[in-house]
Amino acid sequence: MRTLKKLALAVSVCFASQLSYGAESDRTNIIFLIGDGMGVAYTSAYRLFQDNLATPELDKTIFDEMLVGMATTYPDDHNQVTDSAAAATALATGIKTFNGAIGVDAQHQPVISILDKARELGYLTGVAVTCQVNHATPAAFIAHSDSRQSYEAIADQYIDLKINGKPKVDLIFGGGQEYFVRKDRDLVKEFEAQGYKYIDDINKLRKVKKLPALGLFSTGGLTPAVESDHPLRLAEMTQKSLELLTQKSAHPKPFLLMLEASQIDWCGHANDIACAMGEMRDMAETMKIIKQFIDANPNTILVATADHSTGGLSLGAKGRYQWEARVVRNIKATAPSIARQLLDSKANWKTVWQSLTQIKLAEDEQKAMDALIVQANENNQEFISGQVTAQVLTFFDKYTSTGWTTKGHTGEDVQIFSYGKGKETFQGAMDNTDIAKKLFTYLK
Ligand SMILES: [Zn+2]
């Protein structure tokens, strides 16, 4: 009799724990990855950039594997071309708003994001980006402001706005120390007081053993991938985030993880093709890591998209029917950093140019560069460095046959990529706000 009772008790305990596990496992993990500025030309360029030249066919990319739809990106004002704030608000909240707006609608009223909703429902939440963590795209998921430029006020909200008595985000990785450690407020100390483990160096990622965690790895944005010691830093942060968000626990919780390959956009604004491809590689490797994770954890949906395109990038320019991926591959730094190194090396600049780009310049081009570098002195350093950067970019575009139409954004549709549970939900043509609306339905 006693044994039977024990058995019944054991069964009911087991059943109860199964029930709670079952209930949790019905809730879908959400990974939302944004390639800032990643228009169609960027994924096409990346296909050529990563192609294995040893094989005759053009290799498919992870973008090709996961492509499911297209989205319009226009904001809710007189503009047809969005900025990152309005687009991020659309993607985070499902509401169209004006350029510059962070998590507020056209009437300047705060709107709830998928991260807010996930948090209210008890999800774990994470954000990992390669810009400063309080930059427009991640900010729209966490904060509310009429102006994306209010960097300090936005950073304050990361700790001041609480849901169920706690900060909204369990894991924050990216750049932005200068906005968190200030004269008037030390937000890092405040996060630590709330139990967060803080690290200030990406090399210390492995020291983070549990949530909550805050990692700020640079004063502003992280070093551009093309010249970073961690060229796959978003992939690294993603791997670590997934590990932390799925740690074994007596009460397992689903998670929402927002990721951004932030600097595709910055390279686009700079019209720097090698810089852009460095960021694209990090984005692609991040998607591969997520794919592996979803294969092992099928109760997860990945949606990846862009907020808009940047720079009016074109493969082929000035009537030339060619795009030289091989040339792009050999470029080892961003144009401003190459300019700095050329100026530092003075008369020896040709050797440095060769090692950083492997581009053989024509004689008149060498003369033009020589003339610029000779002019440099202490008083005109900045001006000449700007001139050299512009010259370097002209050479990149000429020798790679890359075109750009603007230093700003462009208004064409962007691609939607998806993988995992219910990826067909994101199939077809839609508006950027529909992506968030659909993600809201996953949250229960
Ligand atoms: Zn931009």
Side-chain angles (χ1 to χ4, degrees), residues 36-37 82-84 135 148 262 264-266 268-269 307-310 407-409:
D36 199 311
T82 189
D83 82 327
S84 288
H135 205 258
R148 57 182 291 176
S262 321
I264 299 166
D265 175 65
W266 298 0
H269 282 288
D307 47 357
H308 53 75
S309 190
T310 305
K407 295 270 181 190
H409 297 174

Side-chain angles (χ1 to χ4, degrees), residues 150-265:
S150 309
Y151 283 115
E152 295 188 354
I154 289 169
D156 288 348
Q157 290 186 25
Y158 282 27
I159 189 148
D160 291 341
L161 297 182
K162 295 195 169 66
I163 293 178
N164 300 330
K166 288 208 285 190
K168 290 180 184 181
V169 196
D170 298 299
L171 176 156
I172 304 174
F173 288 155
Q177 291 158 358
E178 63 176 308
Y179 305 104
F180 282 69
V181 181
R182 316 188 308 249
K183 276 201 187 109
D184 64 318
R185 240 180 126 170
D186 186 338
L187 301 179
V188 166
K189 283 225 172 77
E190 293 182 38
F191 269 107
E192 284 177 324
Q194 297 273 333
Y196 283 67
K197 163 85 176 167
Y198 175 65
I199 50 167
D200 61 0
D201 183 343
I202 196 164
N203 291 303
K204 294 180 188 158
L205 268 182
R206 66 186 176 289
K207 293 194 173 164
V208 184
K209 306 280 188 218
K210 62 180 178 54
L211 297 176
L214 171 68
L216 301 175
F217 309 130
S218 56
T219 50
L222 306 189
T223 306
V226 68
E227 60 193 35
S228 172
D229 296 337
H230 291 262
L232 304 179
R233 65 264 200 263
L234 183 63
E236 279 181 61
M237 291 189 282
T238 300
Q239 180 96 56
K240 185 68 192 184
S241 302
L242 292 171
E243 181 192 311
L244 290 167
L245 290 164
T246 54
Q247 269 177 344
K248 282 231 161 18
S249 142
H251 306 285
K253 292 177 180 170
F255 69 80
L256 181 141
L257 176 60
M258 183 265 157
L259 303 163
E260 186 194 29
S262 321
Q263 297 191 30
I264 299 166
D265 175 65

